[in-house]
Amino acid sequence: MPRTSLVLKRIYPVAPRDLERAGTVSTAVRRELLDLGVGADVVRRASIICFEGEMNLVLYSTGGRVILLVEDDRVELLFSDHGPGIADVELASQPGYSTAPDWARELGFGAGLGITNMEQNSDLFKIRSRVGKGTVVRATILRGIPFF
Ligand SMILES: Nc1ncnc2c1ncn2[C@@H]1O[C@H](COP(=O)(O)OP(=O)(O)OP(=O)(O)O)[C@@H](O)[C@H]1O
Ligand SMILES: [Mg+2]
């Protein structure tokens, strides 16, 4: 028997630079979680993580996708793209570090706090990236409910 069972899986494509649709994935994820009866605090944390991850795909990647996995004991969000990749993940994860272009800063992005925010709202958080290949960000929230 698997350790946990999969309750829901959803895949959302994210187009690069598409600010018109930016935020729609986090809204959809929020809806799915609420419909499943996931606890309010977990939904809140997942929404924050999802918005930041989605925005980073929109602003920096050549396009990617968000995968939502809901299991008995956790909610997992995966953000993957095929480039350009992050040369120094540790540096990019520092609060205040940003390479946001002027057009993004004019819209209020570029504080360099997105990854920090994602990490702070996750129980497990991991970024894997290779320049020229792409980036995968995995954020896990433990639901904190008993299961057996
Ligand atoms: N998917 C990605 N591909 C390539 N680079 C990325 C990706 N996600 C983040 N980065 C890089 O990491 C930096 C830090 O990201 P972070 O989300 O913490 O801050 P920000 O997006 O610059 O500002 P904020 O999120 O506060 O608006 C970005 O400026 C960018 O250089
Ligand atoms: Mg960001």
Side-chain angles (χ1 to χ4, degrees):
M1 205 177 126
R3 196 168 49 85
T4 63
S5 60
L6 187 65
V7 177
L8 179 97
K9 179 177 180 178
R10 289 277 184 274
I11 301 175
Y12 306 92
V14 178
R17 316 283 176 265
D18 189 355
L19 288 166
E20 293 264 313
R21 287 188 57 78
T24 54
V25 176
S26 31
T27 302
V29 163
R30 186 185 166 76
R31 188 75 263 154
E32 290 283 8
L33 295 177
L34 287 171
D35 287 351
L36 280 173
V38 171
D41 189 58
V42 173
V43 176
R44 184 186 59 79
R45 290 164 65 196
S47 302
I48 293 167
I49 291 166
C50 197
F51 182 73
E52 296 293 358
E54 180 186 1
M55 281 317 308
N56 283 353
L57 288 178
V58 172
L59 294 180
Y60 307 112
S61 84
T62 53
R65 59 189 197 165
V66 179
I67 300 176
L68 167 68
L69 294 169
V70 182
E71 295 177 27
D72 291 337
D73 68 335
R74 69 193 60 202
V75 172
E76 203 138 71
L77 286 159
L78 291 148
F79 306 86
S80 62
D81 65 61
H82 291 290
I86 302 172
D88 187 337
V89 169
E90 207 181 312
L91 178 64
S93 305
Q94 296 298 312
Y97 178 86
S98 178
T99 62
D102 285 344
W103 61 266
R105 288 179 191 274
E106 278 160 22
L107 297 168
F109 300 104
L113 290 173
I115 293 172
T116 303
N117 213 0
M118 292 173 87
E119 200 161 7
Q120 280 176 354
N121 282 284
S122 303
D123 290 304
L124 301 162
F125 186 77
K126 179 89 187 149
I127 300 177
R128 290 176 56 212
S129 189
R130 196 127 40 106
V131 172
K133 293 276 184 207
T135 301
V136 179
V137 180
R138 174 189 289 259
T140 306
I141 304 166
L142 299 176
R143 297 175 64 183
I145 51 166
F147 67 96
F148 38 83

